[in-house]
Amino acid sequence: MATTSSTTWRMLAERTAGEELPKGLDAAWNAATGYVLRLVPRRRLLLAEARRVVELGKPLADLSDARLREAAEEMRSRFRLGRQTPEDVRRAFALVREVGFRQLGERAYPVQVAGALALHRGCIAELATGEGKTLAATMPATIAGWRGRGCHVITFNDYLARRDAEWMGKVYRFCGLSVAHIEQGMEPAARREAYHADITYCTNKEVTADFLRDRLALGRLQGLPAALLAKLAEGSGSGTDRLVQRGLYYAIVDEVDSILIDEAVTPLIISGEAPNPEQVEAYCQASRLAGELQAQRDYRVNVRYKEIDLTPAGRDRLAEMSEALGGVWGGPRRREELVVQALTAREFYLREKQYVVNEGKVVIVDEFTGRLMPDREWRDGLHQAIEAKEDIRVNPPKDTYARVSFQRFFRLYRRLSGMTGTAAEAWREFWQIYRLPVAVIP
């Protein structure tokens, strides 16, 4: 039987809906603050501190492995109690750097240490491709793990999550920490165990989906008092026993510009079946009617904005063709929405480009990675319009149970940082949306 950990209770006590993005004068003030902070010589300060870390690490090279483990355990206790000083942080970085060399044969260069310090301070670190971002992340991740609140290292796909967890796991385990990874298809019990590790490698899609499933499990339980009452009243049947995550404390995001900027407003949705035969038939009828309309005469295509506009002649022709159908086709607004959706599917969504047909199902192709996404569907009837266009079984639209954009989700973390090879050009978005300054490391 699942038990509810102390970290989960702490998460419930600190639950927050996240701050709204500033508007009006607040947005202007926020933007001005971002401009002022760009004047801070962040790169010079980080490189100077990195050199101090390197100097502190020199005596560690003479320690035995056993003594180095003891030093790591002492650091872990100090950070767990929250009694660390700035000098302790530098010593911790030096210690993890030495452990990395002994376990992996790779000692972080000063620029990698500077990037790691930027992550620890809640910045976006711009490190060129091949500069060793994976190794740099071990230093702030270890400190976060020592605090006992959990650390999520967000990678781009399941392969990288598994590879990096296995590769860097030697460093974390030497420092007295547990490490795990999340990948698609894992059972809830395995996910719960992975999230309760000190450091968890996962993708943005998996961690966001698990967050939504936890919100559904909690239902109407808002905050710690309600969760405690439900636990006392229902025992093991309360929603807290079905939670897999233990809160959103700290995340280090790799390829941060892609995840926090390019895919920021992409919603992740959890939905369920909602059978509606009449609606399915309407999509099929709309596809047949759209096939009888002619471009330019009945509708115009705006390629730039991906919009379809019916002409007056097209509206008249559509009204004439749908007159005998009845039902939803009796109202001009609804019939035009259905047919415009069908025309959108025909004009802008191409087979083998935006989607493929696999075993009689329309499967979306991820525009960023080219990977198939069998568990995702287009919204607002577009997926059904494409199924009707392909003349395959049209599945009814699903009811949305929960949804959140990546932008809103990542703003829920108490601490957030990231790294990428291209961050400087997006510094405004990083600051205005996430309040994360950019540090460019040479």
Side-chain angles (χ1 to χ4, degrees):
M1 182 177 66
T3 58
T4 308
S5 69
S6 61
T7 52
T8 301
W9 293 122
R10 186 187 297 141
M11 176 268 292
L12 291 168
E14 298 175 349
R15 247 182 99 200
T16 174
E19 296 180 3
E20 294 294 329
L21 290 175
K23 299 178 182 179
L25 291 176
D26 289 337
W29 177 260
N30 186 46
T33 303
Y35 276 101
V36 171
L37 288 177
R38 279 179 60 81
L39 301 177
V40 175
R42 191 169 285 108
R43 179 195 303 182
R44 179 169 60 81
L45 295 173
L46 289 170
L47 289 172
E49 188 161 3
R51 287 191 290 270
R52 295 178 67 183
V53 169
V54 171
E55 288 298 317
L56 288 171
K58 290 180 179 179
L60 297 175
D62 298 327
L63 297 181
S64 65
D65 282 0
R67 183 65 190 95
L68 195 63
R69 287 181 190 275
E70 290 176 6
E73 185 59 34
E74 291 170 6
M75 279 290 180
R76 182 171 181 264
S77 300
R78 187 165 298 183
F79 277 89
R80 182 63 61 94
L81 296 173
R83 294 176 179 175
Q84 73 282 353
T85 65
E87 186 68 11
D88 288 331
V89 172
R90 287 187 283 270
R91 291 184 183 279
F93 269 73
L95 189 150
V96 179
R97 180 172 178 262
E98 178 64 25
V99 172
F101 174 68
R102 297 193 188 189
Q103 296 297 308
L104 306 174
E106 299 179 7
R107 179 175 275 122
Y109 291 102
V111 288
Q112 290 172 293
V113 176
L117 288 165
L119 295 175
H120 177 71
R121 294 182 175 182
C123 297
I124 302 296
E126 181 178 296
L127 289 162
T129 302
E131 285 292 313
K133 295 191 291 292
T134 305
L135 180 61
T138 59
M139 287 174 265
T142 298
I143 289 178
W146 281 340
R147 297 182 194 276
R149 307 290 294 277
C151 173
H152 297 165
V153 183
I154 312 297
T155 62
F156 204 66
N157 56 49
D158 287 347
Y159 165 74
L160 291 176
R162 182 174 62 255
R163 184 204 69 177
D164 292 351
E166 294 172 354
W167 185 16
M168 298 296 125
K170 298 176 183 178
V171 176
Y172 300 128
R173 284 186 283 271
F174 189 100
C175 293
L177 300 173
S178 57
V179 59
H181 73 280
I182 301 287
E183 60 185 347
Q184 192 173 7
M186 289 178 67
E187 294 297 321
R191 288 177 181 270
R192 185 180 298 109
E193 184 178 356
Y195 279 120
H196 281 72
D198 295 305
I199 297 156
T200 308
Y201 283 78
C202 49
T203 67
N204 58 318
K205 294 181 176 64
E206 290 297 319
V207 71
T208 309
D210 286 329
F211 168 80
L212 288 180
R213 283 190 280 265
D214 280 357
R215 297 287 81 80
L216 289 173
L218 284 172
R220 296 183 179 181
L221 301 181
Q222 298 293 323
L224 182 60
L228 284 170
L229 288 173
K231 182 72 173 178
L232 291 172
E234 303 173 26
S236 61
S238 67
T240 55
D241 292 316
R242 298 193 298 275
L243 301 180
V244 297
Q245 293 183 345
R246 58 164 173 169
L248 305 176
Y249 176 65
Y250 181 41
I252 300 172
V253 184
D254 194 10
E255 301 300 336
V256 67
D257 51 343
S258 175
I259 293 174
L260 296 192
I261 302 298
D262 296 342
E263 296 188 58
V265 297
T266 302
L268 196 141
I269 300 170
I270 292 181
S271 55
E273 299 294 338
N276 191 329
E278 293 81 8
Q279 195 174 24
V280 169
E281 179 61 23
Y283 288 121
C284 296
Q285 293 169 335
S287 184
R288 289 195 293 270
L289 294 175
E292 298 183 28
L293 300 178
Q294 293 183 12
Q296 303 306 320
R297 186 192 70 182
D298 298 320
Y299 64 92
R300 296 187 180 88
V301 180
N302 188 324
V303 177
R304 180 178 180 183
Y305 295 105
K306 288 190 176 183
E307 292 180 349
I308 299 291
D309 295 312
L310 293 175
T311 64
R315 290 189 175 89
D316 292 340
R317 180 167 170 74
L318 177 59
E320 181 182 341
M321 290 189 298
S322 60
E323 185 175 359
L325 297 177
V328 297
W329 298 98
R333 181 175 178 179
R334 183 57 179 148
R335 67 170 174 250
E336 289 173 13
E337 286 178 351
L338 286 165
V339 171
V340 165
Q341 191 74 289
L343 291 170
T344 300
R346 288 173 178 267
E347 297 289 344
F348 300 123
Y349 290 82
L350 306 178
R351 187 169 178 170
E352 308 300 334
K353 188 174 181 181
Q354 280 87 10
Y355 67 92
V356 297
V357 176
N358 185 17
E359 297 181 355
K361 296 181 179 180
V362 170
V363 180
I364 298 174
V365 176
D366 191 311
E367 295 182 19
F368 298 100
T369 65
R371 296 177 65 194
L372 300 182
M373 299 187 293
D375 296 327
R376 293 183 63 178
E377 290 187 3
W378 283 296
R379 295 184 296 131
D380 303 325
L382 178 59
H383 205 91
Q384 287 70 31
I386 294 173
E387 290 173 330
K389 179 189 76 169
E390 293 292 342
D391 197 23
I392 60 177
R393 180 176 179 270
V394 177
N395 296 291
K398 295 181 178 179
D399 280 344
T400 298
Y401 298 151
R403 61 181 291 168
V404 67
S405 68
F406 291 123
Q407 179 186 105
R408 179 173 288 275
F409 170 73
F410 280 103
R411 291 175 68 242
L412 293 174
Y413 278 93
R414 292 176 63 83
R415 298 183 64 219
L416 182 65
S417 62
M419 50 191 178
T420 182
T422 53
E425 58 267 27
W427 72 268
R428 290 182 182 84
E429 290 89 341
F430 283 127
W431 176 256
Q432 292 174 5
I433 298 173
Y434 304 100
R435 297 184 70 83
L436 298 175
V438 172
V440 180
I441 308 300

